[in-house]
Amino acid sequence: MPTTVEVLADAIKASGTDFIVGHPGGESVELMEAARERGMRFMLMKQEVAGAMLAATWGDITGAPGVCLSTRGPGAANMVNGVAHAALDRSPLIAITDRYSAPEQAVGLRQRIDHIAMYEPLVKWGTTVDARVVRQQIARAMRTAIAPAPGPVQFDMPQSETTKEAGQMQVEPSIMPDTLYPDPDRARLRKVVSAIDAARKPVLLVGLGTFWDNASDEMVKLAETLGAPVLTTSKCKGAIPEDHPLRAGCIIGGLIERKLISEADLIITIGLDAVELQPKPWPYTTRVISLANTPSLDGLVPAEFEVVGNLKSLLAALSDQCSGGSSWGEKSAATFRTDVINALNTPAKGLSPQRAMEVARATLPRETIATCDAGASRLLVVQKWQSYAPREFLTSNGLGSMGYAIPGALAARIAHPDRPVVAFTGDGGFMMAVAELQTAAREKLPITIVVFDDSEIALIRVKQELKGIDRYGVGIGGIDWESLARAFDADAAVVETENALQDALANARHTERTTLIAAKIDGSGYVDQFNALREL
């Protein structure tokens, strides 16, 4: 009969995830061995937080929960930030933490932390693995992790349970059930259809729920039916191809999008999760219709109608039932895009971050997948990089954690081994994940990393300047990028001009090695850009 870890490994593989990542402890080795016997991959990460971010991003891209693990005590504590990312960025994840067996846990002190209590505020469900019911536990974990809104589940795995014979069930639960959604009732949609048809200038605000139901195509069709401009959250870049004439840009919770949204006579939010928005009161008095796959519990968006259901079915039904809209969408979207470009075109001495992004998008292939770190440069990456399909732009937005871009890029490379992957990060965010360069080399996951080297934590410097505080405590600088890359068996280029950046990116396309490109930028325009786009 199979053991506990064999049941877990079988379930993980059956879900569509054929690897586990993390930094293991003594209690993890039996699970690793069970995975190896099933042809699964184990990737040793250098930091537990990076492992959790990688696994969470795999969950974003594929819909199957990523799986990460850590040793007890310090490993479990270090993994918290990665699990927090999965929680606030709505990523399906199963996080496994080693634990002493029950007698040692009851009386021991060394490396003993109450993992369940520590993770409880962050996870959708946490439990201690028990061989007698492990089949039911893993089935519940899979369903909980992927159910809207997706998120993390935590397993505490005592040493005593790993090789015990797993309990039997008369009927074993399905790991990833095939869920069917009936078509919406046309009569019950009549009020919503009437409200939409009455609008002359509707605007769509699109959030993560659109991805959870694989409803991007249906969202675009509704936008085309209504002639409505589309604003997405930063996590939803690519939900509408960003060269589509109705694509306006990204919601960043700032001043610049208020002109467009305030001109609308109806706001239709689609799968919008409040965690994607800035923590500010809703600034619009315009009528709102919410289309969502989970009810809103926070009350942030004051919707007159809230229609809850599978978005793929719901949006298709609305496209069929709504009459054609006005032609205001393309013009208003184009005006918004121009306003953003003008706001970002600040003067610079040397290579500006905005021009660096324009060069990168012009040089890299259309099918490139991009990841983006938190920091001052994120504002520019979000606005300047264009994505053309769902989940081709990956970032930490709900948590907004630095150190995301590199593990996120590794996940993208695993999911799409034949497509180019680029990670955009500041020098501060890069240093938080620098050890994973070794993971990229060892696991043969070549990625291109573009580091915006401004020798500082620029976002904090911007806030200091806006508050009239002298620059202090934010300097980095002095990094020998080429030597650093060489130490991790990666290629490197240090660039200071647009032409040099273009050449470095082009060269990186033709190698199967990780390439680190340090772009020496002038970030002096950040303050004006933030003032133009968003209140701080």
Side-chain angles (χ1 to χ4, degrees), residues 397-455:
N397 180 58
L399 183 63
S401 177
M402 295 172 69
Y404 169 82
I406 292 175
L410 296 178
R413 188 68 181 184
I414 297 167
H416 300 289
D418 298 323
R419 295 177 64 179
V421 178
V422 60
F424 294 108
T425 179
D427 39 10
F430 171 84
M431 295 304 292
M432 290 185 179
V434 62
E436 305 312 330
L437 283 181
Q438 200 268 352
T439 306
R442 182 177 180 83
E443 297 293 334
K444 295 181 172 54
L445 298 171
I447 58 175
T448 299
I449 304 166
V450 177
V451 180
F452 296 102
D453 180 9
D454 51 17
S455 299

CSV table of all heavy atoms in Angstrom, one decimal, residues 397-455:
chain,number,residue,atom,x,y,z
A,397,ASN,N,2.0,42.3,-7.2
A,397,ASN,CA,1.2,43.6,-7.0
A,397,ASN,C,0.5,43.6,-5.7
A,397,ASN,O,0.6,44.6,-5.0
A,397,ASN,CB,0.2,43.7,-8.2
A,397,ASN,CG,-0.6,45.0,-8.1
A,397,ASN,OD1,0.0,46.1,-8.1
A,397,ASN,ND2,-1.9,44.9,-8.0
A,398,GLY,N,-0.3,42.6,-5.4
A,398,GLY,CA,-1.0,42.6,-4.1
A,398,GLY,C,-0.1,42.7,-2.9
A,398,GLY,O,-0.3,43.5,-2.0
A,399,LEU,N,1.0,42.0,-2.9
A,399,LEU,CA,2.0,42.1,-1.9
A,399,LEU,C,3.0,43.2,-2.2
A,399,LEU,O,3.5,43.9,-1.4
A,399,LEU,CB,2.7,40.8,-1.6
A,399,LEU,CG,3.8,40.8,-0.5
A,399,LEU,CD1,3.1,41.1,0.9
A,399,LEU,CD2,4.6,39.5,-0.4
A,400,GLY,N,3.3,43.3,-3.5
A,400,GLY,CA,4.3,44.3,-4.0
A,400,GLY,C,5.7,44.0,-3.4
A,400,GLY,O,6.4,44.9,-3.0
A,401,SER,N,6.1,42.8,-3.5
A,401,SER,CA,7.4,42.4,-2.9
A,401,SER,C,8.6,42.5,-3.8
A,401,SER,O,8.5,42.1,-5.0
A,401,SER,CB,7.3,40.9,-2.4
A,401,SER,OG,8.5,40.5,-1.9
A,402,MET,N,9.7,43.1,-3.3
A,402,MET,CA,10.9,43.0,-4.0
A,402,MET,C,11.4,41.6,-4.0
A,402,MET,O,11.0,40.8,-3.2
A,402,MET,CB,11.9,44.0,-3.4
A,402,MET,CG,11.5,45.5,-3.4
A,402,MET,SD,12.6,46.5,-2.5
A,402,MET,CE,14.1,46.5,-3.4
A,403,GLY,N,12.3,41.3,-5.0
A,403,GLY,CA,12.9,40.0,-5.1
A,403,GLY,C,12.0,39.0,-5.8
A,403,GLY,O,12.3,37.8,-5.9
A,404,TYR,N,11.0,39.5,-6.5
A,404,TYR,CA,10.1,38.6,-7.3
A,404,TYR,C,10.6,38.3,-8.7
A,404,TYR,O,10.4,37.2,-9.2
A,404,TYR,CB,8.7,39.2,-7.4
A,404,TYR,CG,7.8,38.5,-8.3
A,404,TYR,CD1,7.1,37.3,-7.9
A,404,TYR,CD2,7.6,38.9,-9.6
A,404,TYR,CE1,6.3,36.6,-8.8
A,404,TYR,CE2,6.9,38.1,-10.5
A,404,TYR,CZ,6.2,37.0,-10.1
A,404,TYR,OH,5.5,36.3,-11.0
A,405,ALA,N,11.2,39.2,-9.4
A,405,ALA,CA,11.4,39.1,-10.8
A,405,ALA,C,12.1,37.8,-11.2
A,405,ALA,O,11.8,37.2,-12.2
A,405,ALA,CB,12.1,40.3,-11.4
A,406,ILE,N,13.2,37.5,-10.5
A,406,ILE,CA,14.0,36.3,-10.9
A,406,ILE,C,13.3,35.0,-10.7
A,406,ILE,O,13.2,34.2,-11.6
A,406,ILE,CB,15.4,36.4,-10.2
A,406,ILE,CG1,16.2,37.6,-10.8
A,406,ILE,CG2,16.2,35.1,-10.5
A,406,ILE,CD1,17.5,37.8,-10.1
A,407,PRO,N,12.8,34.7,-9.5
A,407,PRO,CA,12.0,33.5,-9.3
A,407,PRO,C,10.8,33.4,-10.2
A,407,PRO,O,10.4,32.3,-10.7
A,407,PRO,CB,11.7,33.4,-7.9
A,407,PRO,CG,11.9,34.8,-7.3
A,407,PRO,CD,12.9,35.4,-8.2
A,408,GLY,N,10.1,34.5,-10.4
A,408,GLY,CA,9.0,34.6,-11.4
A,408,GLY,C,9.4,34.2,-12.8
A,408,GLY,O,8.7,33.4,-13.5
A,409,ALA,N,10.6,34.7,-13.2
A,409,ALA,CA,11.1,34.4,-14.5
A,409,ALA,C,11.5,32.9,-14.7
A,409,ALA,O,11.3,32.3,-15.7
A,409,ALA,CB,12.3,35.3,-14.9
A,410,LEU,N,12.0,32.3,-13.6
A,410,LEU,CA,12.4,30.9,-13.6
A,410,LEU,C,11.1,30.1,-13.8
A,410,LEU,O,11.1,29.1,-14.5
A,410,LEU,CB,13.1,30.5,-12.4
A,410,LEU,CG,14.5,31.1,-12.2
A,410,LEU,CD1,15.1,30.7,-10.8
A,410,LEU,CD2,15.4,30.8,-13.3
A,411,ALA,N,10.0,30.4,-13.1
A,411,ALA,CA,8.7,29.7,-13.3
A,411,ALA,C,8.2,29.8,-14.7
A,411,ALA,O,7.7,28.8,-15.3
A,411,ALA,CB,7.7,30.3,-12.3
A,412,ALA,N,8.3,31.0,-15.3
A,412,ALA,CA,7.9,31.2,-16.7
A,412,ALA,C,8.7,30.3,-17.6
A,412,ALA,O,8.2,29.8,-18.6
A,412,ALA,CB,8.0,32.7,-17.1
A,413,ARG,N,10.0,30.2,-17.3
A,413,ARG,CA,10.9,29.4,-18.2
A,413,ARG,C,10.5,27.9,-18.1
A,413,ARG,O,10.5,27.2,-19.1
A,413,ARG,CB,12.3,29.6,-17.8
A,413,ARG,CG,13.3,29.0,-18.8
A,413,ARG,CD,13.3,29.7,-20.1
A,413,ARG,NE,14.3,29.0,-21.0
A,413,ARG,CZ,14.6,29.4,-22.2
A,413,ARG,NH1,14.0,30.5,-22.7
A,413,ARG,NH2,15.4,28.8,-23.0
A,414,ILE,N,10.1,27.5,-16.9
A,414,ILE,CA,9.7,26.1,-16.8
A,414,ILE,C,8.4,25.9,-17.5
A,414,ILE,O,8.2,24.8,-18.2
A,414,ILE,CB,9.5,25.7,-15.3
A,414,ILE,CG1,10.8,25.9,-14.5
A,414,ILE,CG2,8.9,24.3,-15.1
A,414,ILE,CD1,10.6,25.8,-13.0
A,415,ALA,N,7.5,26.8,-17.4
A,415,ALA,CA,6.2,26.6,-18.1
A,415,ALA,C,6.3,26.8,-19.6
A,415,ALA,O,5.5,26.2,-20.3
A,415,ALA,CB,5.2,27.7,-17.5
A,416,HIS,N,7.2,27.6,-20.1
A,416,HIS,CA,7.3,27.9,-21.5
A,416,HIS,C,8.8,27.8,-21.9
A,416,HIS,O,9.5,28.8,-22.1
A,416,HIS,CB,6.8,29.3,-21.8
A,416,HIS,CG,5.4,29.6,-21.4
A,416,HIS,ND1,4.4,29.0,-22.2
A,416,HIS,CD2,4.8,30.3,-20.5
A,416,HIS,CE1,3.2,29.4,-21.6
A,416,HIS,NE2,3.5,30.1,-20.6
A,417,PRO,N,9.3,26.5,-22.0
A,417,PRO,CA,10.7,26.4,-22.2
A,417,PRO,C,11.2,26.8,-23.6
A,417,PRO,O,12.4,27.0,-23.8
A,417,PRO,CB,10.9,24.8,-22.1
A,417,PRO,CG,9.5,24.3,-22.3
A,417,PRO,CD,8.6,25.3,-21.8
A,418,ASP,N,10.3,27.1,-24.5
A,418,ASP,CA,10.7,27.5,-25.9
A,418,ASP,C,10.5,29.0,-26.1
A,418,ASP,O,10.7,29.4,-27.3
A,418,ASP,CB,10.0,26.7,-26.9
A,418,ASP,CG,10.3,25.2,-26.8
A,418,ASP,OD1,11.5,24.8,-26.5
A,418,ASP,OD2,9.4,24.4,-27.0
A,419,ARG,N,10.2,29.7,-25.1
A,419,ARG,CA,9.9,31.1,-25.3
A,419,ARG,C,10.9,32.0,-24.5
A,419,ARG,O,11.4,31.6,-23.4
A,419,ARG,CB,8.5,31.5,-24.9
A,419,ARG,CG,7.4,30.8,-25.7
A,419,ARG,CD,6.0,31.1,-25.2
A,419,ARG,NE,5.7,32.5,-25.3
A,419,ARG,CZ,4.5,33.0,-25.0
A,419,ARG,NH1,3.6,32.2,-24.5
A,419,ARG,NH2,4.3,34.3,-25.1
A,420,PRO,N,11.3,33.2,-25.1
A,420,PRO,CA,12.2,34.0,-24.3
A,420,PRO,C,11.5,34.6,-23.1
A,420,PRO,O,10.4,34.9,-23.1
A,420,PRO,CB,12.6,35.1,-25.3
A,420,PRO,CG,11.5,35.1,-26.3
A,420,PRO,CD,10.9,33.7,-26.4
A,421,VAL,N,12.3,34.7,-22.0
A,421,VAL,CA,11.8,35.3,-20.7
A,421,VAL,C,12.8,36.3,-20.3
A,421,VAL,O,14.0,36.1,-20.2
A,421,VAL,CB,11.7,34.2,-19.7
A,421,VAL,CG1,11.3,34.7,-18.3
A,421,VAL,CG2,10.8,33.0,-20.1
A,422,VAL,N,12.3,37.5,-19.9
A,422,VAL,CA,13.1,38.6,-19.4
A,422,VAL,C,12.6,39.0,-18.1
A,422,VAL,O,11.3,39.1,-17.9
A,422,VAL,CB,13.1,39.8,-20.4
A,422,VAL,CG1,11.7,40.4,-20.7
A,422,VAL,CG2,14.0,40.9,-20.0
A,423,ALA,N,13.5,39.3,-17.2
A,423,ALA,CA,13.2,39.8,-15.8
A,423,ALA,C,13.7,41.2,-15.7
A,423,ALA,O,14.8,41.5,-15.9
A,423,ALA,CB,13.8,38.9,-14.8
A,424,PHE,N,12.7,42.1,-15.4
A,424,PHE,CA,13.1,43.5,-15.2
A,424,PHE,C,13.1,43.8,-13.7
A,424,PHE,O,12.1,43.5,-12.9
A,424,PHE,CB,12.1,44.5,-15.8
A,424,PHE,CG,12.1,44.4,-17.3
A,424,PHE,CD1,11.0,43.8,-18.0
A,424,PHE,CD2,13.1,44.9,-18.1
A,424,PHE,CE1,11.0,43.7,-19.4
A,424,PHE,CE2,13.1,44.8,-19.5
A,424,PHE,CZ,12.0,44.3,-20.1
A,425,THR,N,14.3,44.3,-13.2
A,425,THR,CA,14.4,44.5,-11.7
A,425,THR,C,15.3,45.7,-11.4
A,425,THR,O,16.2,46.0,-12.2
A,425,THR,CB,14.9,43.2,-11.0
A,425,THR,OG1,15.1,43.4,-9.6
A,425,THR,CG2,16.3,42.8,-11.6
A,426,GLY,N,15.1,46.3,-10.3
A,426,GLY,CA,16.1,47.3,-9.8
A,426,GLY,C,17.2,46.6,-9.2
A,426,GLY,O,17.2,45.4,-8.9
A,427,ASP,N,18.3,47.4,-8.9
A,427,ASP,CA,19.5,46.8,-8.3
A,427,ASP,C,19.1,46.3,-6.9
A,427,ASP,O,19.7,45.2,-6.5
A,427,ASP,CB,20.7,47.7,-8.3
A,427,ASP,CG,20.3,49.2,-8.0
A,427,ASP,OD1,19.2,49.4,-7.6
A,427,ASP,OD2,21.2,50.0,-8.2
A,428,GLY,N,18.2,46.9,-6.2
A,428,GLY,CA,17.9,46.5,-4.8
A,428,GLY,C,17.1,45.2,-4.9
A,428,GLY,O,17.4,44.2,-4.1
A,429,GLY,N,16.1,45.0,-5.8
A,429,GLY,CA,15.3,43.8,-5.9
A,429,GLY,C,16.2,42.7,-6.4
A,429,GLY,O,16.0,41.5,-5.9
A,430,PHE,N,17.1,43.0,-7.3
A,430,PHE,CA,18.0,41.9,-7.8
A,430,PHE,C,18.9,41.3,-6.7
A,430,PHE,O,19.0,40.1,-6.6
A,430,PHE,CB,18.9,42.5,-8.9
A,430,PHE,CG,20.0,41.6,-9.3
A,430,PHE,CD1,19.8,40.6,-10.2
A,430,PHE,CD2,21.3,41.6,-8.7
A,430,PHE,CE1,20.8,39.7,-10.6
A,430,PHE,CE2,22.3,40.8,-9.1
A,430,PHE,CZ,22.1,39.8,-10.1
A,431,MET,N,19.4,42.2,-5.8
A,431,MET,CA,20.3,41.7,-4.7
A,431,MET,C,19.5,40.8,-3.7
A,431,MET,O,20.1,39.9,-3.1
A,431,MET,CB,20.9,42.8,-4.0
A,431,MET,CG,21.9,43.6,-4.8
A,431,MET,SD,23.2,42.6,-5.6
A,431,MET,CE,24.1,42.1,-4.1
A,432,MET,N,18.2,40.9,-3.7
A,432,MET,CA,17.4,40.1,-2.8
A,432,MET,C,17.2,38.7,-3.3
A,432,MET,O,16.8,37.8,-2.6
A,432,MET,CB,16.0,40.7,-2.6
A,432,MET,CG,16.0,41.9,-1.7
A,432,MET,SD,14.4,42.5,-1.3
A,432,MET,CE,14.8,44.0,-0.3
A,433,ALA,N,17.5,38.5,-4.6
A,433,ALA,CA,17.3,37.2,-5.2
A,433,ALA,C,18.5,36.7,-6.0
A,433,ALA,O,18.5,35.8,-6.8
A,433,ALA,CB,16.1,37.2,-6.2
A,434,VAL,N,19.7,37.3,-5.7
A,434,VAL,CA,20.9,37.1,-6.5
A,434,VAL,C,21.3,35.6,-6.5
A,434,VAL,O,21.8,35.1,-7.5
A,434,VAL,CB,22.0,38.0,-6.0
A,434,VAL,CG1,22.4,37.7,-4.6
A,434,VAL,CG2,23.3,37.9,-6.9
A,435,ALA,N,21.1,34.9,-5.4
A,435,ALA,CA,21.5,33.5,-5.3
A,435,ALA,C,20.8,32.6,-6.3
A,435,ALA,O,21.3,31.6,-6.7
A,435,ALA,CB,21.3,33.0,-3.9
A,436,GLU,N,19.6,33.1,-6.8
A,436,GLU,CA,18.9,32.2,-7.7
A,436,GLU,C,19.5,32.3,-9.1
A,436,GLU,O,19.1,31.5,-10.0
A,436,GLU,CB,17.4,32.6,-7.7
A,436,GLU,CG,16.8,32.5,-6.4
A,436,GLU,CD,17.1,31.2,-5.5
A,436,GLU,OE1,17.3,30.2,-6.2
A,436,GLU,OE2,17.1,31.3,-4.3
A,437,LEU,N,20.5,33.1,-9.4
A,437,LEU,CA,21.3,33.0,-10.6
A,437,LEU,C,21.9,31.6,-10.7
A,437,LEU,O,22.0,31.0,-11.7
A,437,LEU,CB,22.4,34.0,-10.7
A,437,LEU,CG,22.0,35.5,-11.0
A,437,LEU,CD1,23.2,36.3,-11.0
A,437,LEU,CD2,21.3,35.5,-12.3
A,438,GLN,N,22.4,31.1,-9.5
A,438,GLN,CA,22.9,29.7,-9.5
A,438,GLN,C,21.9,28.7,-9.8
A,438,GLN,O,22.2,27.7,-10.5
A,438,GLN,CB,23.6,29.5,-8.1
A,438,GLN,CG,24.6,28.3,-8.1
A,438,GLN,CD,24.0,27.0,-7.8
A,438,GLN,OE1,22.8,26.9,-7.4
A,438,GLN,NE2,24.8,25.9,-7.9
A,439,THR,N,20.6,28.9,-9.4
A,439,THR,CA,19.6,28.0,-9.7
A,439,THR,C,19.3,28.0,-11.2
A,439,THR,O,19.1,26.9,-11.8
A,439,THR,CB,18.3,28.4,-8.9
A,439,THR,OG1,18.5,28.5,-7.6
A,439,THR,CG2,17.2,27.4,-9.2
A,440,ALA,N,19.3,29.2,-11.8
A,440,ALA,CA,19.1,29.3,-13.3
A,440,ALA,C,20.1,28.5,-14.0
A,440,ALA,O,19.8,27.7,-15.0
A,440,ALA,CB,19.1,30.7,-13.7
A,441,ALA,N,21.4,28.6,-13.6
A,441,ALA,CA,22.5,27.8,-14.3
A,441,ALA,C,22.4,26.4,-14.0
A,441,ALA,O,22.5,25.5,-14.9
A,441,ALA,CB,23.8,28.4,-13.8
A,442,ARG,N,22.2,26.0,-12.8
A,442,ARG,CA,22.2,24.6,-12.4
A,442,ARG,C,21.0,23.8,-13.0
A,442,ARG,O,21.1,22.7,-13.5
A,442,ARG,CB,22.2,24.4,-10.9
A,442,ARG,CG,22.2,22.9,-10.4
A,442,ARG,CD,22.3,22.8,-8.9
A,442,ARG,NE,22.3,21.5,-8.5
A,442,ARG,CZ,23.4,20.7,-8.4
A,442,ARG,NH1,24.6,21.2,-8.7
A,442,ARG,NH2,23.4,19.5,-8.0
A,443,GLU,N,19.9,24.5,-13.1
A,443,GLU,CA,18.7,23.8,-13.6
A,443,GLU,C,18.5,24.0,-15.1
A,443,GLU,O,17.5,23.6,-15.6
A,443,GLU,CB,17.4,24.4,-12.8
A,443,GLU,CG,17.4,24.1,-11.3
A,443,GLU,CD,17.3,22.6,-11.0
A,443,GLU,OE1,16.7,21.9,-11.9
A,443,GLU,OE2,17.7,22.1,-10.0
A,444,LYS,N,19.5,24.7,-15.7
A,444,LYS,CA,19.4,25.0,-17.1
A,444,LYS,C,18.1,25.7,-17.5
A,444,LYS,O,17.3,25.2,-18.4
A,444,LYS,CB,19.6,23.6,-17.9
A,444,LYS,CG,20.9,23.0,-17.7
A,444,LYS,CD,21.1,21.7,-18.5
A,444,LYS,CE,22.5,21.2,-18.5
A,444,LYS,NZ,23.1,21.1,-17.1
A,445,LEU,N,17.9,26.8,-16.9
A,445,LEU,CA,16.7,27.7,-17.1
A,445,LEU,C,17.2,29.0,-17.5
A,445,LEU,O,17.2,30.0,-16.7
A,445,LEU,CB,15.8,27.7,-15.8
A,445,LEU,CG,15.2,26.4,-15.3
A,445,LEU,CD1,14.6,26.6,-14.0
A,445,LEU,CD2,14.2,25.9,-16.4
A,446,PRO,N,17.7,29.2,-18.7
A,446,PRO,CA,18.3,30.5,-19.1
A,446,PRO,C,17.2,31.6,-19.2
A,446,PRO,O,16.2,31.4,-19.8
A,446,PRO,CB,18.9,30.2,-20.5
A,446,PRO,CG,18.1,29.0,-21.0
A,446,PRO,CD,17.8,28.2,-19.8
A,447,ILE,N,17.5,32.7,-18.6
A,447,ILE,CA,16.7,33.9,-18.6
A,447,ILE,C,17.6,35.1,-18.9
A,447,ILE,O,18.8,35.0,-18.7
A,447,ILE,CB,15.9,34.0,-17.3
A,447,ILE,CG1,16.8,34.2,-16.1
A,447,ILE,CG2,14.9,32.9,-17.1
A,447,ILE,CD1,16.1,34.4,-14.8
A,448,THR,N,16.9,36.2,-19.3
A,448,THR,CA,17.6,37.5,-19.4
A,448,THR,C,17.2,38.3,-18.3
A,448,THR,O,15.9,38.5,-18.1
A,448,THR,CB,17.3,38.1,-20.8
A,448,THR,OG1,17.8,37.2,-21.8
A,448,THR,CG2,18.0,39.5,-20.9
A,449,ILE,N,18.1,38.9,-17.6
A,449,ILE,CA,17.8,39.8,-16.5
A,449,ILE,C,18.3,41.2,-16.8
A,449,ILE,O,19.5,41.4,-17.1
A,449,ILE,CB,18.5,39.3,-15.2
A,449,ILE,CG1,18.0,37.9,-14.9
A,449,ILE,CG2,18.1,40.2,-14.0
A,449,ILE,CD1,18.9,37.2,-13.8
A,450,VAL,N,17.4,42.2,-16.8
A,450,VAL,CA,17.8,43.6,-17.0
A,450,VAL,C,17.7,44.3,-15.7
A,450,VAL,O,16.6,44.4,-15.1
A,450,VAL,CB,16.8,44.2,-18.1
A,450,VAL,CG1,17.2,45.7,-18.2
A,450,VAL,CG2,16.9,43.5,-19.4
A,451,VAL,N,18.8,44.7,-15.2
A,451,VAL,CA,18.9,45.4,-13.9
A,451,VAL,C,19.0,46.9,-14.1
A,451,VAL,O,19.9,47.4,-14.8
A,451,VAL,CB,20.1,44.9,-13.0
A,451,VAL,CG1,20.1,45.7,-11.7
A,451,VAL,CG2,20.0,43.5,-12.8
A,452,PHE,N,18.0,47.7,-13.6
A,452,PHE,CA,18.1,49.1,-13.7
A,452,PHE,C,19.0,49.6,-12.6
A,452,PHE,O,18.7,49.6,-11.4
A,452,PHE,CB,16.7,49.7,-13.5
A,452,PHE,CG,15.8,49.4,-14.6
A,452,PHE,CD1,14.8,48.4,-14.4
A,452,PHE,CD2,15.9,50.0,-15.9
A,452,PHE,CE1,13.9,48.1,-15.5
A,452,PHE,CE2,15.0,49.6,-16.9
A,452,PHE,CZ,14.0,48.7,-16.7
A,453,ASP,N,20.3,49.9,-12.9
A,453,ASP,CA,21.3,50.2,-12.0
A,453,ASP,C,21.3,51.7,-11.8
A,453,ASP,O,21.9,52.5,-12.6
A,453,ASP,CB,22.7,49.7,-12.5
A,453,ASP,CG,23.8,50.1,-11.5
A,453,ASP,OD1,23.5,50.5,-10.4
A,453,ASP,OD2,25.0,49.9,-11.8
A,454,ASP,N,20.7,52.2,-10.7
A,454,ASP,CA,20.7,53.6,-10.4
A,454,ASP,C,21.4,53.8,-9.0
A,454,ASP,O,21.4,54.9,-8.5
A,454,ASP,CB,19.4,54.3,-10.4
A,454,ASP,CG,18.4,53.5,-9.5
A,454,ASP,OD1,18.8,52.6,-8.7
A,454,ASP,OD2,17.1,53.7,-9.7
A,455,SER,N,22.0,52.7,-8.5
A,455,SER,CA,22.9,52.8,-7.3
A,455,SER,C,22.1,53.2,-6.1
A,455,SER,O,22.7,53.8,-5.2
A,455,SER,CB,24.1,53.7,-7.5
A,455,SER,OG,24.9,53.2,-8.6
